[in-house]
Amino acid sequence: MSNPTLINGFDTRRHVGVHAEQVSHVSSTDYPGHYPGEDNSWDLDAFKKRLNLKVQRLSNRSVAFDLVGVDASIANAFRRILIAEVPTVTVERVYVWDNTSVVVDEVLAQRIGLIPLNVDPSFMDMKESPSDQATDRNTLVFRLRVACTRNKNAPKGSTNPNELYINSDVLSSHLEWVPQGEQMTVMASNPPAPTNPNIVLAKLRPGQEIDMELHAIKGVGKDHAKFCPVATASYRLLPKIVLNPQKPVPPHLAEKFQKCFSPGVIRVDPRTKAITVDEEKARNESMSREVYRHPEFAGCVQLARVRDHFLFNIESEGFYPPERLLPEAIAVMRGKIANIRKVAEALLHDSDGPGDVEMTDT
Amino acid sequence: MNTLGEEESEWEQLNQTNWRGLGITDPIKNVEDKWLLLPAFLKVKGLVKQHIDSFNYFVDVDIKNIVKANNKVTSDVDPRFWLKYTDINVGFPDRTDLDAIDKSVTPHECRLRDITYSAPILVTIQYTRGKNVVRRPNVNIGRLPIMLRSNKCVLTGRTEAQLARMTECPLDPGGYFVVKGTEKVILVQEQLSKNRIIVETDSVKGIVQASCTSSTHGGLKSKTYVATKKGKIYLRHNSIHEDVPIVIALKALGIQSDKEILLLTAGNTDAYKIAFSANLEEAAKLSVFTRHQALEWIGSRVKVNRKVVGPRRPAWEEALEALATIVLAHVPVNGLDFRSKAIFVATMTRRVLMAMDDEKMVDDRDYVGNKRLELAGQLLALLFEDLFKTFNSNLKSSIDKVLKKPSRTNEFDAFNTMQFQGDHITSGFVRAISTGNWSLKRFKMERAGVTHVLSRLSFISALGMMTRISSQFEKTRKVSGPRALQPSQWGMLCPSDTPEGEACGLVKNLALMTHITTDVEEEPIIRLAFMLGVEDIGLATGTEIYGPHTFVVNVNGTIIGLTRYPTRFVTNFRRLRRAGRFSEFVGVYVNHHHRAVHIASDGGRICRPMIIVEDGRPKVTSEHIAFLKKGAATFDDFLRKGLVEYLDVNEENDSYIALYESNIVAATTHLEIEPFTILGAVAGLIPYPHHNQSPRNTYQCAMGKQAIGAIGYNQLNRIDTLLYLSVYPQQPMVKTKTIELIGYDRLPAGQNATVAVMSYSGYDIEDALIQNKASLDRGYGRCQVLRKNATLIRKYPNGTFDRLADAPVDENGQIQKKYDIVQLDGLAGVGERVDPGDVYVNKQTPTNANDNTFTGQAAAVPYKNAPMTYKSPVAGYIDKVMISDTENDQTLIKVLIRQTRRPELGDKFSSRHGQKGVCGLIVNQEDMPFNDQGINPDTIMNPHGFPSRMTVGKMIELLAGKAGVLSGKLQYGTAFGGSKVEDMSRILIENGFNYAGKDMLTSGITGEPLEAYVYFGPIYYQKLKHMVMDKMHARARGPRATLTRQPTEGRSREGGLRLGEMERDCLIGYGATQLLLERLMISSDKFEVNACQECGLIGYNGWCTYCKSSKHMANLTIPYAAKLLFQELMAMNVVPRLVLGDA
């Protein structure tokens, strides 16, 4: 693909070009054999020097951090593992004793499955196969027993179901943990419960009743989205705005130019109308490419993204505090690497064998 | 009262001019929100007002007319006896069960119990009993199925809460019947208008003909033609053997003078005179000069199909009667005054002459103004008339039977006889509506497929069915005319909503604001016309009728008079109509080609409301609309005040209608209320349809009816044969005004999927869609399928009865697995899981149920099992079990079994733009691309779907949907309006997105940015009812048909997959003989036979019964079907002999 003329400051080795109609230089090139005469082989020291991780924001439910100096494949592996392979515990089997609500069993079961639980998966074993016997090591039991009745003390003339009836909404807080075996002692410090008590599962009216037994097991997100520990885990590349010194923005258009970017990204000198990029806030740029729409700014600016600078955003929705998620993902990845190493070594040792080695998960 | 008066006067003020000819309502540029008239219209009329109005007209007016026309029953035996119907009324639906205390009944109960929602027909009779005259009110003569939401329905005028108590959906439009538990719609039938002259030509045969189908009350229908044959003009009618030369016909009708005939037909136009002169000559040649001669001529050619009673009448009398009553029956003949009929025939002749002279004078059969729509009311009226007449003749014969007896113990009371007349009327209605066969021998009417089961696949499919119009044209005829889009259907019939394929263009749908008229009495209209200065036609001669400045005035196709000031007449007439002096549905227009004023008051005309424009100014102003908004005025107020009026197609074409206020010029007469009302209810769902290629809108109209969603607020109380429900339906991000008006936002069928328009993996070619597995896990596209399984626990005539039994135990005392869910009452428990093969109703029938000689104890009879077993390959759950009684006291059990399905590979989805596709691949969330916000698409659609389909509306929907999501508002995609792309782009920019809606995505697989920007945003996707689970089928071995021993056919019978003729041809061409043999015989119906080499016949067991020998028997393998053929041939005396040789 022919690339539009690039202006100074845009480095094809480091930057992904963001043009009006396409994206250029998306893949990294720093591997051996790409540039004649350069080595570029992986070097731990150089990697260590470049690698940088900085938490930008941390709250109860989410974390934003910069991961700098790794290849897209590594960053992506963390993202993928966070979504698909960090185990969590959620309801898998629902035994319905009674359900007279309007929400049918299958739908209610699906809704219950999606409730995140505050259970540390490391306390539990993974069931090897679905037919495995449920034990106190691999299964948590909850009970959901709700019956709706009329509220005798309801204010007169009220039409609000919450006032008129008791238990008109079935909430996740109605889940009741039933400890099995040694669970009582092991989990006493942090009794299993939904992380969010206010999830509406169904609505009831007087006379309707739900009575179910729920079995929660440990699982991973690739089997079902309910096991996913994150609401989302994703990253974007650090935006880079390269101004063309050869073609400055005309002073009378400076405000318009500023408006083409996210707030605060472009600074306009109030007097000289000179334009500068606020490098601190450049990370907020949403890359709307609005500036390319206006012919008067053609050639003034080149948008780009830094290829090895990942702005991660992870929203936790479950047991893990957001800051623990990346280490968990790394742990899963190390497990996988260890597995590969083990298998590879087995292959090496067994050089006169059939050449096939069983690779077990985790 | 006071406040009402104030409002009235406020209204008046608005319409007044206050100062120097300027009112407070001046100056008007645009009428703000004039589309609000539309909901006001729908509030008054409802979505299916045509059906309901028509039914109401039948029940309130027409039924009385029918009874009035047939109100007397006399006896041939006793001339003093008579019985008269003085009144008839239809009551409200009630329960027929004898022991019921609460007689009220709801439609939903009828659906569940498989009974008919009907009301008694009550008559008041007067009759002689001995010497007295007795009057009896409220005599029940039968029951009439009641249309839901009609005047007689219990649902009419109820609030939502009251409807909820009756388990009825407030959004359900009504307009259908519940007969034997099924919902039946009487489709609107399209026909050519009655009693109007239509001129046609056949250019091949060189024929010009004017035809007129007469239809009068009394149902008699006959078609009269005035046609050319070899340059001369003839009158043709079914009741006359031979074509009658037009001059003879006119002479027979009382116009004896040739001069007068010439004047009445050709007038003073020389061209017409020349063309007509040959006809005068012909009459002379046939030596017909006087009226009597003409009548004799015709009389000898009249078909007499009466049973001869008494002496044969002279020919001229036959002719007179035929001309008076059969030919052009709709033209009134008072006494022996045939003048108006003569003029009608003359007019037909003149129309033929005109068409001979000028091609342009030929009428267009496909013109919507020449069409009439026949609705439920009219069809029911025909049926009722037939049934009522039969009822009366049955009554008469049974009365005769009683009166014939010479001595009676007590005085004869006709009322008692009436009570024993059976349910002829009731069963007649029920049979006609439930089978759809309208066979009325009395009117020579034989129509099948008039009614259809209301499709409840989705709310839209039910609604679409109510607005459907079926045409009487044959589907096989290869004429494009009737199928083509007619310019005159603008605003009346939906241009998009028609099926593809054979019924294309023949099945139409009504547009949103269409109304269909019902009959309006014409006498007052005629009187009014005379008052407005029309001169009676009886006083005019041909010179005056065809004079240069005269216009003929027609009422419903019949000439009543002349006027010299047509414009003034029409203006005055309209003024009176706007003032509400007569029905707003009476149409009037000037036809300048025929120089005629037509007034129409007949039923079945299509019309729609429009804003009146006077002096270049619409009469509806923003202030009026403000009143409407306040709820202080209704649509009827607008009509009454003369701000809005209904125009039928003919009048519409005589008007100058502005589409928008800006188009108004001095000559403008009307203003459209809203352009998007040219579309119907189904096409109204499409966002931005004006940006789509038109066939795409048509495709969506077909698919919208297959979408799975919510079907009604009472959907969970319904037990339908098959019910598809969506688990999480959503209202569309991009709505239209139509969606809000019909309630699709409250009963939606689809979900707003985040779509990325990009290619992915190669499993997306040919419109396949990629789905995100996590989205499916979270409930996207999930649906429920509920299937009804019903059975009757019958009582048999011999006293035995079916019974339910608990699960049987085997010899070990164990209950078989398949009876696991059957409880003690013999029924499966609600909520139980049903696996394939499980029994859910353990019914047993007596072994001697049909043995009518059985007299023993009913309880002691042996029983055999007749359980209901679950057949689907996938497990389901018992959703509901209903036990009830039907009308004839049989116990009815309905079991509803539910499956909940998540989308799988091969399930069909569609957007609202005729873009359907199957799910080609389900991808894990981590493999899906994501944008800077971390959003994954729910669905990936291949961009190749766009260039050839040109569904730009879909792109704009995405843009508007995305802007709506970002701004937290629903956007509008109303046809010819809606949110503007420019505004949408601005919202995107303001929220930091690219103005074109394209996002920068990162590949979920490599983690690198994608090299192209991807069009990314929400599009409303519908899941269609075609699911792989219902279609998948394969067979290795399985059942065979008994007759041929070949594998059975079809999935439901676990049939084989046929290697058809064309496939066979391929194998022959390729020469794969062994494969052929295997496919066609060995794997199908191979059969070993013993054949005799001597006689060539088939023997058995190595023995030839023909040769009485076993010497030359050979063993060979042939298809069983071949053996069957030989035997069948032998059965009809053909001997097939096999000639065997070594291969």
Side-chain angles (χ1 to χ4, degrees), chain B residues 243-263:
Chain B
D243 291 357
V244 184
I246 195 68
V247 174
I248 297 183
L250 284 167
K251 284 193 173 183
L253 288 168
I255 302 174
Q256 294 201 46
S257 133
D258 284 359
K259 172 75 180 173
E260 204 182 344
I261 289 177
L262 194 67
L263 272 179

Side-chain angles (χ1 to χ4, degrees), chain A residues 1 16-28 71-73 76 79-81 83-84 102 104-107 110-111 114 221-226 228 230-237 259 262 285-290 292-293 305 307 310 313 315, chain B residues 716 727-728 773-780 782 784 831-832 876-877 879 898-900 902 924-936 985 988-989 991-1000 1002-1014:
Chain A
M1 198 192 293
V16 173
V18 176
H19 311 286
E21 292 301 333
Q22 93 255 31
V23 184
S24 66
H25 306 97
V26 293
S27 302
S28 55
D71 191 71
S73 52
N76 192 36
R79 184 191 70 86
R80 290 168 61 90
I81 289 170
I83 292 171
V102 292
V104 298
D105 301 351
E106 303 94 293
V107 176
Q110 188 241 356
R111 293 180 70 93
L114 290 172
K222 62 183 170 191
D223 290 337
H224 194 285
K226 69 184 172 187
C228 183
V230 292
T232 190
S234 81
Y235 59 78
R236 62 194 172 101
L237 299 177
K259 283 211 180 96
S262 295
E285 168 57 19
S286 69
M287 299 306 259
S288 72
R289 285 109 66 202
E290 175 66 6
Y292 289 141
R293 240 181 91 209
R305 312 194 90 154
R307 195 183 293 122
F310 299 93
N313 184 38
E315 294 170 28
Chain B
L716 298 177
V727 172
Y728 297 113
K773 178 166 169 289
S775 306
L776 307 186
D777 287 343
R778 291 178 178 121
Y780 170 70
R782 211 164 271 229
Q784 293 177 336
E832 290 282 11
Y877 294 85
D879 193 70
R898 153 174 43 92
Q899 288 180 347
T900 303
R902 59 180 279 163
N924 277 336
Q925 185 187 349
E926 66 269 21
D927 289 334
M928 285 299 233
F930 56 95
N931 70 0
D932 280 1
Q933 283 73 32
I935 301 171
N936 295 107
S985 289
L988 291 187
I989 295 166
N991 288 281
F993 279 78
N994 181 252
Y995 77 106
K998 291 201 271 188
D999 283 4
M1000 187 173 167
T1002 308
S1003 163
I1005 300 171
T1006 65
E1008 290 170 353
L1010 295 179
E1011 282 194 285
Y1013 301 115
V1014 173

Side-chain angles (χ1 to χ4, degrees), chain A residues 208-273:
Chain A
Q208 296 179 342
E209 197 172 340
I210 288 174
D211 186 357
M212 295 172 155
E213 189 175 304
L214 320 171
H215 288 192
I217 62 161
K218 187 171 163 182
V220 289
K222 62 183 170 191
D223 290 337
H224 194 285
K226 69 184 172 187
F227 290 115
C228 183
V230 292
T232 190
S234 81
Y235 59 78
R236 62 194 172 101
L237 299 177
L238 178 74
K240 171 108 186 143
I241 298 154
V242 187
L243 295 172
N244 188 356
Q246 260 80 52
K247 194 181 172 207
V249 175
H252 65 284
L253 294 172
E255 262 86 30
K256 186 179 178 188
F257 185 83
Q258 190 182 29
K259 283 211 180 96
C260 290
F261 294 86
S262 295
V265 174
I266 298 293
R267 273 189 307 229
V268 178
D269 190 300
R271 259 184 327 110
T272 60
K273 302 286 179 199

Side-chain angles (χ1 to χ4, degrees), chain B residues 909-940:
Chain B
F909 290 83
S910 138
S911 71
R912 285 181 293 170
H913 305 267
Q915 304 248 58
K916 56 178 181 248
V918 293
C919 172
L921 186 70
I922 295 170
V923 176
N924 277 336
Q925 185 187 349
E926 66 269 21
D927 289 334
M928 285 299 233
F930 56 95
N931 70 0
D932 280 1
Q933 283 73 32
I935 301 171
N936 295 107
D938 294 315
T939 288
I940 296 178

